[in-house]
Amino acid sequence: MKIMIRGLSRLTTEEKILALLAPYGLVQYFHLVMDPNTNNSKGFGFAFMPNPAQAKAAIKSLNGIEVDGEKIRVKKAEDKPEEAKKVEPK
C-alpha cells in the first residue's frame, strides 16, 4: 500500500521516517520529495508497505504525531488517474 506523509519539517530525513515506519512492518521504500532548485525537502514524501494491514496500522498510529516540531499527516496515497488516451481521427 502506498502511503503519503505530509507536513514534514524541512529538517526531517528519509532515515527518520523509515525509522518511524519500521516497527509496523516491511517498508519497501520511502521517497522524500525534494525541490530541484534548492535541493530542500518539500515537506512530504511517499512510502510503500507491501502488507496492507501493516500499512493501515502505521497510518493509524502515526497520523497526527509530532516529528521535528511539525504535526505530520499520514494517509493512503491516492493513485494518479490515467491520462486519457488521445485517439487520432482517421
Side-chain angles (χ1 to χ4, degrees):
M1 174 183 287
K2 191 171 181 182
I3 299 170
M4 179 180 202
I5 304 172
R6 303 183 333 176
L8 296 170
S9 163
R10 302 302 187 247
L11 303 175
T12 303
T13 63
E14 287 187 8
E15 292 77 19
K16 187 158 202 170
I17 298 302
L18 284 169
L20 286 172
L21 292 169
Y24 300 97
L26 175 66
V27 181
Q28 278 191 321
Y29 71 81
F30 175 73
H31 173 69
L32 184 61
V33 178
M34 305 297 279
D35 183 318
N37 297 322
T38 65
N39 206 34
N40 292 327
S41 165
K42 286 191 169 188
F44 69 98
F46 297 93
F48 184 79
M49 297 181 75
N51 183 310
Q54 293 173 344
K56 288 176 186 176
I59 290 168
K60 184 176 180 179
S61 296
L62 298 175
N63 187 46
I65 70 166
E66 190 173 301
V67 177
D68 293 332
E70 299 290 337
K71 187 175 179 180
I72 65 171
R73 294 177 305 283
V74 185
K75 67 177 194 169
K76 179 180 176 189
E78 301 297 324
D79 291 328
K80 289 184 179 179
E82 293 290 328
E83 289 186 7
K85 293 181 180 178
K86 294 182 180 178
V87 177
E88 295 291 325
K90 291 186 178 184

